Amino acid sequence: MAKSSKEHKKAKQKRGQEDLAAAAIAALLERNAAQAKAAAIKNPDVVLDEEEQQQKQQQRRRNDAEEEEVPLASVNKVQERTRGVPKSGRVWKRQSGQKTSMMRKDLGLKNAFDKKMKRRNKERAVRAKARAMLEEMKEAKRAERRRIQQRQKQREENRAKSVVVQQITDTRKIKKMSRKQLKYIMKM
């Protein structure tokens, strides 16, 4: 019976994990053998068999562990399990421990109450100053507009004074005038 592609992939991953585990065991054995050779070279008279050597190493590790203080971070750290080769082939990429949605958000720096109040007062002062500056600018524009209107009014008055006028006392003349002439008539 033929295997499905999923079963084939699972079997391949399992083989990869077994290969990694076998490689790790082989590396440990080589290291132990190298240590035994080094011990035999230093002291050729005393050559211990492998079991005694392993017992001594375990005893040393226990003693070292008792002497060293274990930080809390390492106690809480989840032990990583051996992984096979990822499907993408990117063996250097790590799997994240948690989903992004489950990660704890950083709340930022928490300021003391005094700092908070100082910051608020400063912001209020800045806003008040900005309002005052805007009001000054508006007032300056209003004053400029008033000056322009006064100047225009003065010009109109001056123009009216300087115009050469001819009074029309007889209203019958107005009736006889053409439209063009009527344009120039002003009522005073």
Side-chain angles (χ1 to χ4, degrees):
M1 187 157 87
K3 287 184 178 179
S4 69
S5 62
K6 285 184 181 178
E7 291 173 346
H8 184 67
K9 286 178 186 176
K10 284 181 182 178
K12 192 175 180 182
Q13 278 183 340
K14 193 173 183 180
R15 269 186 265 127
Q17 288 175 352
E18 290 171 356
D19 291 345
L20 285 173
I25 292 169
L28 277 171
L29 290 174
E30 286 176 10
R31 191 171 7 140
N32 287 343
Q35 287 175 354
K37 284 181 185 177
I41 291 170
K42 286 180 183 175
N43 194 357
D45 298 335
V46 181
V47 178
L48 301 172
D49 64 310
E50 287 184 30
E51 290 179 2
E52 289 177 351
Q53 212 172 21
Q54 286 178 356
Q55 287 176 356
K56 282 193 172 186
Q57 283 180 351
Q58 287 174 356
Q59 186 63 34
R60 270 191 242 125
R61 285 184 192 140
R62 282 190 215 120
N63 291 342
D64 291 344
E66 289 173 2
E67 290 174 5
E68 290 180 284
E69 280 190 31
V70 180
L72 289 175
S74 65
V75 171
N76 293 337
K77 191 174 181 182
V78 178
Q79 188 177 14
E80 291 184 28
R81 62 185 179 93
T82 54
R83 291 175 41 215
V85 179
K87 187 175 182 181
S88 63
R90 298 178 181 174
V91 290
W92 60 89
K93 291 235 175 184
R94 285 191 178 159
Q95 276 185 327
S96 60
Q98 286 181 319
K99 289 183 180 179
T100 313
S101 60
M102 296 302 292
M103 287 184 186
R104 194 163 166 238
K105 269 78 173 175
D106 185 17
L107 300 175
L109 298 174
K110 294 190 175 186
N111 293 333
F113 183 72
D114 296 335
K115 287 183 181 179
K116 192 176 181 180
M117 292 309 292
K118 282 180 184 177
R119 191 187 63 208
R120 276 189 187 169
N121 291 336
K122 199 181 262 188
E123 286 174 0
R124 285 180 187 152
V126 167
R127 277 193 228 114
K129 193 171 185 178
R131 269 191 237 114
M133 288 172 70
L134 280 172
E135 196 57 43
E136 274 182 37
M137 287 170 59
K138 285 180 182 178
E139 188 57 43
K141 283 183 179 181
R142 285 186 206 124
E144 184 65 28
R145 208 175 294 130
R146 275 190 236 113
R147 266 188 259 119
I148 289 169
Q149 285 175 352
Q150 284 176 352
R151 235 185 284 138
Q152 244 179 349
K153 193 176 181 181
Q154 189 66 37
R155 281 183 190 152
E156 289 296 322
E157 288 174 6
N158 290 344
R159 191 178 295 136
K161 285 180 188 174
S162 66
V163 171
V164 178
V165 273
Q166 185 180 1
Q167 283 186 345
I168 301 171
T169 52
D170 193 8
T171 53
R172 286 179 291 166
K173 283 184 181 179
I174 295 173
K175 289 178 183 175
K176 291 179 184 177
M177 286 182 181
S178 67
R179 283 188 183 173
K180 200 172 188 181
Q181 287 173 332
L182 285 171
K183 283 181 188 176
Y184 295 108
I185 293 176
M186 281 175 50
K187 197 172 190 180
M188 297 294 250

